[in-house]
Amino acid sequence: NVSQFKAEITYRSALADRYASETMSYNFSNHKRFSTWRRLWLWLASAEKELGLNISDEQLDEMNENVDNIDFKMAQNEERNVRHDVMAHIHTFAHACPKAAPIIHLGATSCYVTDNADLIIMRDALDLLLPKLARVISRLMCFATQYADLACLAYTHMQPAQPTSLGKRACLWLQDLCMDYRNLVRLRDEVIKFRGVKGTTGT
């Protein structure tokens, strides 16, 4: 089976194969990345129309209808020819949207789609992760309450120390997870900032 053989000689991450959910794996997939590029181009064109550029609703509708209609084989061939991933996908999107071809990526840099798409993907990953982390915290809180009086041995530097309770030990784990949760919320809400259409450098 050629497709199976190709899968076995292609780099894969154990983090994805063993531990990631189907939803999280899709979030970092090529389809998610390049469909996000197309959404960014659509949003850019919509904003430019509002600012008075000669962009028609017909062009925007055509782009919107083809956001998920990605010809990956054509994109690969285009990239071999132009040696530029963004230009390859501009040509591929333009092929699917001939009326909108002149306005795709109008006035933007490559970083507009590459950097902003990565930020959107990271934000969406955190949106998937945070509710799961909240559930772990909630369940561990119930565990700590249930075993608040169950005596066990504490450890220091992996050596037996003084007696404590299992609930107390669970509270220490909870403290770390609550700190992680706050840090991830801050990362999502304050650190991950959308770049401008001119990209990172913005000349």
Side-chain angles (χ1 to χ4, degrees):
N1 188 304
V2 175
S3 61
Q4 183 178 2
F5 176 73
K6 185 176 180 181
E8 293 304 326
I9 62 172
T10 303
Y11 172 76
R12 288 155 58 180
S13 168
L15 293 176
D17 289 348
R18 295 178 189 170
Y19 309 119
S21 67
E22 185 176 338
T23 308
M24 186 66 83
S25 293
Y26 171 74
N27 186 62
F28 288 94
S29 69
N30 281 340
H31 186 275
K32 171 64 180 286
R33 179 177 307 281
F34 297 126
S35 64
T36 302
W37 284 16
R38 293 188 173 193
R39 286 185 174 85
L40 285 161
W41 284 321
L42 174 60
W43 297 334
L44 173 63
S46 299
E48 289 173 334
K49 182 180 187 299
E50 289 182 13
L51 292 171
L53 273 69
N54 186 23
I55 295 173
S56 68
D57 289 333
E58 186 179 19
Q59 289 173 307
L60 296 178
D61 290 342
E62 188 180 51
M63 293 174 71
N64 188 49
E65 290 167 2
N66 286 280
V67 163
D68 293 309
N69 178 28
I70 304 173
D71 187 340
F72 287 99
K73 185 65 176 177
M74 180 181 178
Q76 289 174 356
N77 292 334
E78 287 289 335
E79 187 166 352
R80 288 192 191 99
N81 292 330
V82 300
R83 301 293 183 181
H84 195 288
D85 56 347
V86 175
M87 286 305 304
H89 278 273
I90 290 172
H91 292 169
T92 304
F93 196 19
H95 184 265
C97 307
K99 294 176 184 176
I103 64 167
I104 295 172
H105 199 72
L106 183 61
T109 66
S110 296
C111 287
Y112 166 65
V113 288
T114 57
D115 293 6
N116 286 318
D118 285 347
L119 290 169
I120 289 170
I121 288 168
M122 286 187 278
R123 180 205 63 192
D124 291 350
L126 289 170
D127 285 340
L128 292 171
L129 182 62
L130 283 167
K132 295 182 179 183
L133 180 54
R135 285 196 295 273
V136 171
I137 290 171
S138 176
R139 290 171 183 172
L140 192 54
M141 179 183 68
C142 294
F143 178 89
T145 302
Q146 180 180 354
Y147 295 104
D149 299 325
L150 179 62
C152 69
L153 194 60
Y155 286 81
T156 177
H157 300 287
M158 304 302 295
Q159 299 296 316
Q162 62 188 20
T164 185
S165 75
L166 185 56
K168 167 67 186 307
R169 294 201 67 184
C171 286
L172 297 176
W173 308 330
L174 269 170
Q175 183 181 30
D176 286 345
L177 291 175
C178 287
M179 292 169 64
D180 293 336
Y181 187 89
R182 286 194 298 270
N183 287 335
L184 290 175
V185 169
R186 179 178 175 273
L187 175 63
R188 182 194 62 186
D189 296 343
E190 299 178 26
V191 178
I192 295 179
K193 296 295 185 182
F194 197 77
R195 310 289 183 181
V197 295
K198 294 182 179 180
T200 306
T201 54
T203 56

